Amino acid sequence: MIGLLSDIHGNLEALEAVFRDGQRKNIHRWICLGDIVGYGPNPSECIQLVRNYCEIIVLGNHDEACGLTSEVDEFNKIARHSILWTRTRLKENERDWLRKLPLFEIDHNRMYVHASPRKPHLWNYIFTETEAQRQIAFYPPDVKFCFIGHTHESFHFVSEEGSELINVGSVGQPRDYDSRACFAIFDENLGQVVFQRVEYDIKSTQKKIIDYGLPRFLAERLMYGN
Ligand code: ZN
């Protein structure tokens, strides 16, 4: 069993809850699809845990922005605020590590990428079946399953030809009106994907967001899962 997680966004309580849950479900490999940091109050701690647990880790747009020192114009005001704050909290070696993460990885018949298999560096969002179908045309040869994150909403599309695009949802900031942390389990033998939801101590995360002076909205949205 492989555990797939994405969009942790510095939410340590959610990440710990996911790893605990995965342990009970016999997950022997973990894969991280990016956005370990940004928004949440514990970027360093999340980097450390992900490095300890995950065999494959790919770059997210927030990881890239927090690793760099350049302008962050492409993000909205709240994201920008949290990216600048996160930069001050990370050690230079952590930012260096973020910058060097690969944009995608291919392993057996599976591809792992944060946003989209086609032009991953553009950070496009895949919300619809039409877009999912279009993306499948750009799978590298021999890839049947592509696992992504980025929208913070779980999604599973199977094409008529049998290729699959799976968005594993978000650990640390779900936006599908379910406040519980989300991740996915992939059974390599059956080729099956199951989404998991895990309760965690949202109040602790919210308190830290407010205590650290991060935008209040980032605390509030966790409660509603949006
Ligand atoms: Zn994200």
Side-chain angles (χ1 to χ4, degrees), residues 43-98:
S44 278
E45 293 82 352
C46 289
I47 288 178
Q48 216 172 354
L49 262 190
V50 166
R51 288 179 81 164
N52 286 345
Y53 275 85
C54 298
E55 216 169 280
I56 293 176
I57 306 165
V58 297
L59 181 77
N61 53 323
H62 284 256
D63 303 323
E64 180 185 55
C66 292
L68 295 169
T69 47
S70 48
E71 290 296 313
V72 274
D73 300 333
E74 65 275 30
F75 290 88
N76 67 40
K77 203 172 148 219
I78 285 175
R80 221 162 42 227
H81 181 139
S82 71
I83 287 165
L84 295 177
W85 179 86
T86 302
R87 284 177 177 174
T88 68
R89 303 290 289 201
L90 294 176
K91 296 183 200 80
E92 187 44 46
N93 68 323
E94 291 170 326
R95 295 181 44 210
D96 191 51
W97 178 81
L98 285 174

Side-chain angles (χ1 to χ4, degrees), residues 7-9 34-35 39 61-62 114 150-152 170 173 175:
D7 298 276
I8 299 148
H9 287 295
D35 275 5
Y39 297 131
N61 53 323
H62 284 256
H114 183 64
H150 196 43
T151 65
H152 297 211
S170 169
Q173 197 195 79
R175 295 179 194 160

Side-chain angles (χ1 to χ4, degrees), residues 9 12 38 40 45 73 87 89-90 138-139 145-146 151 157 182 194-195 197 208 223 225:
H9 287 295
L12 182 62
E45 293 82 352
D73 300 333
R87 284 177 177 174
R89 303 290 289 201
L90 294 176
F138 296 93
Y139 280 13
F145 302 93
C146 180
T151 65
F157 175 76
C182 185
V194 184
F195 296 113
R197 299 308 289 239
K208 282 190 267 185
M223 196 158 61

